[in-house]
C-alpha cells in the first residue's frame, strides 16, 4: 500500500513544480516517496509500540488483585480485566454487579459522585450463589480522554471480612464452649431448620448435633404446638418481646421418644452473611415445674389437713391477733367464713373471761405453756347480743409457741377442741346420776311405804273378819282398805319409775291399766295440756308386766308433753291389729300374731335436737 502511494504521488509533485528541469523533477519525486515511506515506517513502529503497550497494560490490569471495569456513562462494559470477567462474565457491566449487591445504597452514592466528575470509594456486601455475604471495596474514577467513561475497581475489604471471620470464629468457639454446658444452644434458619446445635440440646431431643442439622429437622417438629407444621417457627414463641428484640418464654418440647418436657426459650435475631437466622438459648425447666407441682401438691395437702381437721387451728401473733385460722376454728368463733382473720383472740369471749384468756395467752407466748384452758366462745359478743345455745361453743384451748424463720417475732399456735357436745353429754350424765339418786330414794321410800301399806291392808282384813257387813264400822273399814290398795298402786308406780321392780308378766286389759294411770298422767302433763283417751271396742287381752307397761306409757306421755311446750292436745288411742296387718318396723320384725296397738300422739312442734 505504501509503494502505490509513492508512485501515485510523483506526478502530483511534478505538476506542482511546473517549469523545473526533468532531472530535477525526478529527484524530487523520489525524495517524496522516501519521506512518505519513512513516515509509514514510523507509524508502523508507533502502532506496534501501542499494541505492545496495550498488551502490557492489559497484563498489568490482569495482574491486579482487584477486578477492573471500564464502562461508559450507561454502565455498559468498554473493557475489563480477567478478574472482572472471571467474577461476572465476559461483557458484564454494572448491571451484573448491581444484581449481586445486598444493599444498593453504596452504588447509588458512587454513581452520583462519578456523574459530578468526582471519585469515590465504598464498602459493599456481595451475595454469592448460596446466599452468603462477603464484603468488598468498590472504587470509581473518571477515565481521562474518554468523555463519560468511568473506571470501576472492585477489591477485597479485608478489614470487614476479617472482622466477620473473627466474629464467626468467636461464635464457633462459644458454641464449642457451650457444647457440654447444661444449657441448650442452637442456631435456626428462617425456615426453621437447624444450622448448629450443641450436644446438650441434641441430647435433650434424643439425637446428635450432626443428625439434628443434617436430617433437616425443623423447630416446628419439636415444639408441641397445635399450629400447622408449615407455620413460621417464631409464631410458636410467646408474643412477649424483651429488650433488644429477644423473645423470652416457655414452650413444651418433645423428643424423639415422645417425651414431653418444658423449656425456657430465649430467641435472639442474627444475620449470618446476609441470611437471617436466630440464636436459641434453651433451659430445661421440667424439673423446676415438677418441683413447683410437688410444692403445690404439698401445699394443697397441708391446707387440706389444716382446714379439714376436726379441731380448730389458729396462728396468733404476739399481740393476740389472729393471722390465719382453719375453717373449723372460723366456724367456732365467727358467723361468716374468713371473718376471724385479723381479729383479737379474746374478742370472742365474754368480758369476765377475757382477762383469764389474756393471761393464758401471755404465758404461752413467753414459752410457759400451762394446762389447757376451758373457755366458751360466743359468736354474738361482737354484736352485744345475748348468747344462746347455738352461738356459744365450749372449747378446750391448747397453745404452742413458734419462732419465725426470718428472725421476726413468732407467735402462738392455738388448737381449739370443741367440747360443746361433750359438755352436753356430761350434763346429761350428771342429770342421769341425779335421777338415779332420786330413783334410789323413791325406791327406798316406796319399799318402806309398801311395808306399811301391807300391814294396814292386813289389819283391815282382820277387822273385816270381826265385823259383818251390817256393822256400822264395816263401810269405814272397807274405805280404809280401798285407799290402802290405791296407795299400793302408787307405790308400785314409784317402783316402776325407779326401775327396782321385779318382772311379773300377767294377762291384763290395757283399758283398765290406762284408767288407773289417768290421775298420774294428768299430774305429769299439767293443766295446759288436754288429755284425750280413745279406746276401741273388744280390745284383746295382753300378757305383760304391768309396771313395765305403765313405765313405757309414762315415758311416752312425758316426751309428748315436752314436745307440746306451752299448750296443746295429747291423745292416747288403742286398737286391735290383725296378724296380716302387723307393720315390719325398722328393727327386728315382730313374730306373726294378733297385737294390741297403743298410740300416743301430740300436736306439738317437736323437741330440739340438743335436748
Amino acid at each position: 500500500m505504501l509503494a502505490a502511494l509513492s508512485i501515485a504521488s510523483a506526478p502530483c509533485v511534478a505538476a506542482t513544480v511546473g517549469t523545473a528541469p526533468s532531472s530535477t523533477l525526478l529527484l524530487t519525486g523520489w525524495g517524496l516517496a522516501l519521506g512518505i515511506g519513512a513516515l509509514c515506517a514510523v507509524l508502523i513502529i508507533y502502532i506496534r509500540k501501542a499494541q505492545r503497550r496495550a498488551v502490557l497494560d492489559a497484563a498489568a490490569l490482569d495482574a491486579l488483585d482487584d477486578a477492573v471495569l471500564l464502562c461508559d456513562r450507561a454502565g455498559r462494559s468498554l473493557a475489563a480485566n480477567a478478574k472482572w470477567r472471571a467474577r461476572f462474565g465476559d461483557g458484564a457491566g454494572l448491571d451484573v454487579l448491581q444484581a449481586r449487591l445486598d444493599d444498593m445504597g453504596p452504588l447509588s452514592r458512587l454513581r452520583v459522585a462519578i456523574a459530578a466528575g468526582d471519585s469515590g470509594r465504598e464498602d459493599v456486601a456481595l451475595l454469592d450463589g448460596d446466599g452468603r455475604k462477603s464484603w468488598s471495596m468498590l472504587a470509581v474514577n473518571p477515565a481521562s480522554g474518554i468523555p463519560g467513561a468511568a473506571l470501576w475497581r472492585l477489591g477485597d475489604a479485608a478489614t470487614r471480612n476479617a472482622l466477620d471471620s473473627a466474629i464467626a470464629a468467636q461464635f464457633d468457639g462459644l458454641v464449642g464452649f457451650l457444647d457440654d454446658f447444661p444449657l441448650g444452644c442452637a442456631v435456626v434458619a428462617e425456615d426453621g431448620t437447624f444450622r448448629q446445635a450443641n450436644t446438650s440440646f441434641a441430647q435433650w431431643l434424643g439425637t446428635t448435633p450432626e443428625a439434628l442439622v443434617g436430617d433437616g429437622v425443623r423447630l416446628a417438629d419439636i415444639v408441641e404446638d397445635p399450629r400447622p407444621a408449615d407455620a413460621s417457627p417464631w409464631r410458636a414463641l410467646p408474643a412477649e418481646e424483651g429488650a433488644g428484640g429477644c423473645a423470652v418464654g416457655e414452650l413444651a418440647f418433645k423428643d424423639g421418644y415422645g417425651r414431653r418436657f418444658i423449656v425456657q426459650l430465649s430467641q435472639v435475631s442474627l444475620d449470618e452473611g446476609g441470611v437471617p437466622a436466630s440464636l436459641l438459648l434453651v433451659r430445661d425447666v421440667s424439673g423446676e415445674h415438677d418441683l413447683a407441682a410437688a410444692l403445690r401438691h404439698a401445699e394443697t395437702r397441708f391446707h387440706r389437713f389444716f382446714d379439714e381437721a376436726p379441731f380448730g387451728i389458729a396462728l396468733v401473733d404476739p399481740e393476740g391477733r389472729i393471722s390465719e385460722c382453719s375453717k373449723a376454728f372460723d366456724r367456732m368463733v365467727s358467723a361468716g367464713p374468713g371473718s376471724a382473720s385479723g381479729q383479737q383472740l379474746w374478742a370472742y369471749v365474754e368480758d369476765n373471761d377475757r382477762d383469764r384468756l389474756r393471761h393464758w395467752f401471755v404465758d404461752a407466748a413467753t414459752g410457759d405453756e400451762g394446762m389447757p384452758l376451758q373457755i366458751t366462745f360466743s359468736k354474738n359478743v361482737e354484736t352485744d347480743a345475748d348468747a344462746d345455745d347455738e352461738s356459744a361453743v365450749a372449747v378446750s384451748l391448747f397453745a404452742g409457741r413458734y419462732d419465725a424463720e426470718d428472725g421476726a417475732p413468732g407467735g402462738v399456735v392455738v388448737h381449739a377442741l370443741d367440747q360443746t357436745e361433750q359438755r352436753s353429754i356430761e350434763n346429761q350424765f350428771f342429770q342421769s346420776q341425779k335421777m338415779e339418786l332420786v330413783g334410789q330414794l323413791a325406791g327406798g321410800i316406796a319399799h318402806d311405804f309398801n311395808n306399811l301399806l301391807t300391814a294396814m291392808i292386813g289389819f283391815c282384813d282382820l277387822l273385816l273378819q270381826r265385823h259383818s257387813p251390817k256393822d256400822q264400822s264395816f263401810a269405814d273399814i272397807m274405805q280404809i282398805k280401798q285407799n290402802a290398795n290405791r296407795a299400793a298402786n302408787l307405790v308400785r308406780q314409784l317402783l316402776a319409775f325407779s326401775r327396782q321392780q321385779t318382772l311379773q308378766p300377767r294377762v291384763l286389759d290395757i283399758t283398765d291399766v290406762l284408767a288407773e294411770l289417768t290421775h298420774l298422767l294428768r299430774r305429769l302433763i299439767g293443766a295446759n295440756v288436754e288429755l284425750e283417751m280413745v279406746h276401741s271396742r273388744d280390745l284383746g287381752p295382753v300378757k305383760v308386766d304391768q309396771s313395765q307397761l305403765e313405765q313405757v306409757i309414762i315415758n311416752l306421755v312425758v316426751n309428748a308433753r315436752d314436745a307440746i311446750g306451752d299448750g296443746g292436745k295429747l291423745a292416747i288411742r288403742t286398737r286391735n291389729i290383725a296378724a296380716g296387718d302387723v307393720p315390719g318396723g325398722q328393727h327386728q320384725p315382730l313374730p306373726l300374731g294378733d297385737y294390741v296397738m297403743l298410740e300416743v300422739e301430740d300436736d306439738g312442734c317437736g323437741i330440739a335436737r340438743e335436748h
Side-chain angles (χ1 to χ4, degrees), residues 382-467:
E382 296 178 347
T383 58
D384 295 332
D386 293 335
D388 53 18
D389 293 336
E390 295 183 357
S391 64
V393 181
V395 295
S396 294
L397 297 183
F398 301 83
R401 183 177 178 270
Y402 72 92
D403 296 323
E405 296 180 356
D406 55 357
V412 176
V413 180
V414 177
H415 295 78
L417 186 60
D418 191 348
Q419 301 286 337
T420 304
E421 185 175 356
Q422 183 177 352
R423 295 277 182 88
S424 176
I425 294 175
E426 290 177 354
N427 293 334
Q428 293 178 12
F429 176 72
F430 294 151
Q431 186 67 23
S432 64
Q433 285 185 325
K434 293 179 181 179
M435 295 302 295
E436 185 71 21
L437 293 175
V438 172
Q440 292 179 359
L441 178 61
I445 295 175
H447 276 295
D448 294 340
F449 193 57
N450 190 47
N451 293 332
L452 295 176
L453 291 176
T454 301
M456 292 173 61
I457 295 173
F459 283 117
C460 288
D461 291 337
L462 291 176
L463 289 175
L464 290 176
Q465 291 178 0
R466 297 176 184 174
H467 298 275

Side-chain angles (χ1 to χ4, degrees), residues 196-212:
Q196 287 180 319
N198 68 342
T199 303
S200 298
F201 183 73
Q203 287 179 349
W204 291 345
L205 299 176
T207 182
T208 62
E210 294 76 14
L212 189 63

Side-chain angles (χ1 to χ4, degrees), residues 165-469:
S165 299
I167 293 175
Q170 290 181 1
F171 180 75
D172 292 339
L174 177 61
V175 172
F177 175 74
L178 294 177
D179 195 40
D180 295 324
F181 200 70
L183 181 71
C185 180
V187 177
V188 181
E190 189 177 18
D191 61 353
T193 58
F194 288 92
R195 289 189 174 178
Q196 287 180 319
N198 68 342
T199 303
S200 298
F201 183 73
Q203 287 179 349
W204 291 345
L205 299 176
T207 182
T208 62
E210 294 76 14
L212 189 63
V213 175
D215 293 346
V217 180
R218 294 162 53 92
L219 178 63
D221 298 334
I222 65 173
V223 174
E224 191 178 74
D225 192 85
R227 296 177 176 83
D230 58 350
S232 174
W234 314 129
R235 294 179 183 174
L237 295 177
E240 179 183 357
E241 291 289 335
C246 178
V248 181
E250 289 187 358
L251 288 178
F253 277 7
K254 55 184 177 181
D255 60 12
Y257 305 103
R259 183 182 69 91
R260 180 179 182 271
F261 59 100
I262 307 298
V263 299
Q264 186 182 58
L265 186 66
S266 300
Q267 179 259 332
V268 183
S269 298
L270 296 178
D271 190 354
E272 287 192 324
V275 180
S278 291
L279 172 64
L280 301 184
L281 298 178
V282 186
R283 186 167 66 91
D284 188 353
V285 294
S286 300
E288 298 177 12
H289 279 256
D290 295 340
L291 178 60
L295 290 176
R296 288 194 300 270
H297 180 64
E299 185 178 359
T300 301
R301 292 185 60 189
F302 169 75
H303 279 289
R304 185 179 298 116
F305 292 141
F306 184 75
D307 288 333
E308 303 303 329
F311 49 86
I313 306 174
L315 301 180
V316 187
D317 61 17
E319 286 73 27
R321 198 173 302 276
I322 300 173
S323 57
E324 189 175 356
C325 65
S326 64
K327 294 180 180 178
F329 190 90
D330 206 4
R331 288 193 298 267
M332 290 180 186
V333 300
S334 62
S339 59
S341 297
Q343 301 295 326
Q344 295 285 345
L345 178 63
W346 37 82
Y348 299 101
V349 297
E350 299 293 341
D351 294 339
N352 53 353
D353 288 335
R354 289 182 181 176
D355 291 338
R356 190 161 59 96
L357 179 58
R358 283 195 185 97
H359 291 311
W360 176 84
F361 178 79
V362 170
D363 293 340
T366 55
D368 187 11
E369 301 176 8
M371 296 294 294
L373 178 65
Q374 308 293 330
I375 207 165
T376 300
F377 284 138
S378 179
K379 301 178 183 180
N380 292 330
V381 172
E382 296 178 347
T383 58
D384 295 332
D386 293 335
D388 53 18
D389 293 336
E390 295 183 357
S391 64
V393 181
V395 295
S396 294
L397 297 183
F398 301 83
R401 183 177 178 270
Y402 72 92
D403 296 323
E405 296 180 356
D406 55 357
V412 176
V413 180
V414 177
H415 295 78
L417 186 60
D418 191 348
Q419 301 286 337
T420 304
E421 185 175 356
Q422 183 177 352
R423 295 277 182 88
S424 176
I425 294 175
E426 290 177 354
N427 293 334
Q428 293 178 12
F429 176 72
F430 294 151
Q431 186 67 23
S432 64
Q433 285 185 325
K434 293 179 181 179
M435 295 302 295
E436 185 71 21
L437 293 175
V438 172
Q440 292 179 359
L441 178 61
I445 295 175
H447 276 295
D448 294 340
F449 193 57
N450 190 47
N451 293 332
L452 295 176
L453 291 176
T454 301
M456 292 173 61
I457 295 173
F459 283 117
C460 288
D461 291 337
L462 291 176
L463 289 175
L464 290 176
Q465 291 178 0
R466 297 176 184 174
H467 298 275
S468 64

Side-chain angles (χ1 to χ4, degrees), residues 2-13:
L2 293 175
L5 180 62
S6 300
I7 295 173
S9 300
C12 297
V13 175

